[in-house]
Amino acid sequence: MAVRTIRVIGDEILYKECKPVKEMTQRVEELIEDMFETMYENNGVGLAAPQVGILKQIVVIDVDDGNQYVLINPEIIEEEGSQTGQEGCLSVPGKAGIVTRPQKVKVKALDENMEEFVLEGEDLLARAICHECAHLHGQLYVSLVEGELMDTTEEVEE
Ligand code: GNR
Ligand code: NI
């Protein structure tokens, strides 16, 4: 297990389309473990493989609902309602912005055993699912921000 380096905005890999995973391998298993470790180390609620430099359709999510979700080749199949709120991204450090997302989503994906499942998420889980799936298609939340991108780091003047 290892904490991997997170790619940040401007890195061209973040803007590329990710490839579907065809089979579970030891490499992919290790990647998933490392993605969880990297996400927890950086206090994130989700992480997509391109953020650690791998162009594969893999997402991990933990929004503190008692579950650790692994989504391989995810596809959002239903969206309902809308929520407008603050969003951040580990690949856009020190910034946050207001983004409107569906209030509820249904996503179809494969789990770590390559078994298909459908996950329904609301509130932050729906937001995280949308945010992570967008990463797999080379999209960052900054392109969806309403108004200004805000600074979240305190600037202390001397
Ligand atoms: O840690 C994260 N917090 C977050 C907050 C609101 C909406 C989405 C997110 S995901 C983000 C981690 C990240 O960059 N995942 O790609
Ligand atoms: Ni992100």
Side-chain angles (χ1 to χ4, degrees), residues 12-40:
E12 62 178 31
I13 209 152
L14 293 174
Y15 306 96
K16 293 187 173 168
E17 184 69 26
C18 293
K19 293 195 173 64
V21 176
K22 290 196 191 124
E23 54 173 355
M24 188 48 58
T25 61
Q26 200 175 332
R27 274 173 83 94
V28 172
E29 271 176 29
E30 268 172 39
L31 170 63
I32 291 168
E33 284 181 18
D34 289 356
M35 285 173 64
F36 275 113
E37 200 174 324
T38 305
M39 175 182 74
Y40 292 130

Side-chain angles (χ1 to χ4, degrees), residues 34-108:
D34 289 356
M35 285 173 64
F36 275 113
E37 200 174 324
T38 305
M39 175 182 74
Y40 292 130
E41 177 72 20
N42 292 282
N43 302 309
V45 299
L47 195 73
Q51 293 183 276
V52 292
I54 308 286
L55 289 172
K56 287 186 193 300
Q57 293 184 15
I58 304 174
V59 157
V60 298
I61 293 175
D62 187 340
V63 292
D64 237 341
D65 67 351
N67 294 103
Q68 291 182 311
Y69 299 111
V70 176
L71 278 64
I72 298 171
N73 306 343
E75 256 180 81
I76 292 172
I77 53 174
E78 258 182 66
E79 300 185 349
E80 203 184 302
S82 92
Q83 55 172 321
T84 299
Q86 237 190 62
E87 200 153 316
C89 180
L90 295 174
S91 295
V92 189
K95 304 278 181 190
I98 302 294
V99 180
T100 298
R101 299 282 193 186
Q103 170 58 23
K104 210 167 157 180
V105 300
K106 240 184 230 180
V107 64
K108 184 179 83 175

